[in-house]
Amino acid sequence: MAFETRELKEISPQALPKHIGIIMDGNGRWAKSRGLPRTAGHRQGAKVFSEIAKYCRDNGIRYLTVYAFSTENWSRPKSEVDAIMNLLAEYLSDVKKHEEENIRLCFLGEKDPLREDLRRQMMDIESRSAKNDGITVNIALNYGGRDEIVRAARRLAQECLDGKLSVQQITEESFSAHLDTSGQPDPDLIIRPSGEQRTSNFLPWQSTYAEYVFMNVLWPDFTAKDLDKAILEYLHRSRRFGGLDRQEKKS
Ligand code: FPP
C-alpha cells in the first residue's frame, strides 16, 4: 500500500529513513481498556506488526526492527510469555506467506534460552528468507542492548585470545560488526508508541544518531497514518552529526 499522506508521496526516496525501529508498546493497556486479557493485546499487536512491515516494504523503507521481547520480559507471568512465544511461532510458521511477501526476516537477541521448536523455526526462516529483498525485518527477541554489547565484547575478546585480532583492531567498525545487526545500517528513526518516553535497552549502540518519536497511540491501535506522522516528524527535524547535517555531509 502506497503512503497515505500526500507530502510523503512526493518525497524523494533518499530522504526517507533507511532503517526504522519500533518499540511495540501498550498492548496490555489496549487489552485492559477493552476488558480483554493482555494476550489479546499481544495478538492484535502481532497483527499490526505484520501490516506495518508490509507498509514499510511498499514504501521503500529498507530495514525495520521491532522490539518483540526483551531480556527483562521473562519476569512476566509464564502464561503471558508463552502467549507471546506462540504468536511468534504462529507468525513464523507461514513460510509460504513470507516467500510471497518478499520479506527477509532476521532475529536480534540471544537465541539459546528460547524454546527449541521456536529456535529451529527462527533459523529456518532466516535462511529461507535470506534472498528476499523487499525489506529486512529484524525481530528483537530475548533482546537487550547491554546484553548484545557484552556478547559482542566477549566475541572480540575471544578473537584476541585466539590471535585472530589485535587489541588495536578493536574499533567502532569492528565492534559494530560483532553486534546482532552486523552489516546493517543504524536506525535513523525510532518510534515508541503508548506515551512512554524511554528507550528501554533497545539498540543503544546503533541508535546514537537516531531521531526518537514518541507517540500517544497504543501499539495495537497503530496505523499506517501514524507511521506517516512519525516519518514526517523525522523529515521536519534538522539532523546533525557532530556539526554537519546529513545533506552537507553527503555533498
Ligand atoms: C509491550 O506491551 C509489548 C510486548 C512486551 C510484546 C510485544 C509482542 C508482540 C506485539 C507480538 C510479537 C509477535 C510478532 C509476530 C512480532 P506491554 O505488554 O508492555 O503493554 P503495557 O505497557 O500496556 O502493559
Side-chain angles (χ1 to χ4, degrees), residues 24-29 38 42 45-46 49 68 73 76 80 84 88 91:
M24 306 186 290
D25 197 11
N27 297 349
R29 277 163 282 170
R38 293 177 59 81
H42 296 315
F49 152 72
N73 286 151
R76 296 194 176 202
E80 185 174 344
I84 295 174
L88 278 152
Y91 177 73

Side-chain angles (χ1 to χ4, degrees), residues 24-30 38 41-47 49-50 66-70 73 76 80 84 87-89 91-92 139 192 194 196 218-219:
M24 306 186 290
D25 197 11
N27 297 349
R29 277 163 282 170
W30 181 91
R38 293 177 59 81
H42 296 315
R43 177 165 288 283
Q44 181 60 22
K47 223 161 130 188
F49 152 72
S50 178
V66 293
Y67 210 173
F69 194 86
S70 74
N73 286 151
R76 296 194 176 202
E80 185 174 344
I84 295 174
L87 281 169
L88 278 152
Y91 177 73
L92 299 183
I139 299 181
R192 181 166 195 162
S194 95
E196 308 291 347
L218 301 174
W219 176 249

Side-chain angles (χ1 to χ4, degrees), residues 4 32 43 51 70 115-116 141-142 159 162 164 179 200 240:
E4 293 206 353
K32 195 173 172 208
R43 177 165 288 283
E51 291 307 313
S70 74
R115 57 187 215 215
E116 167 74 25
L141 187 61
N142 188 33
E159 286 179 29
D162 294 345
K164 292 181 189 149
L179 294 171
S200 298
R240 299 205 162 267

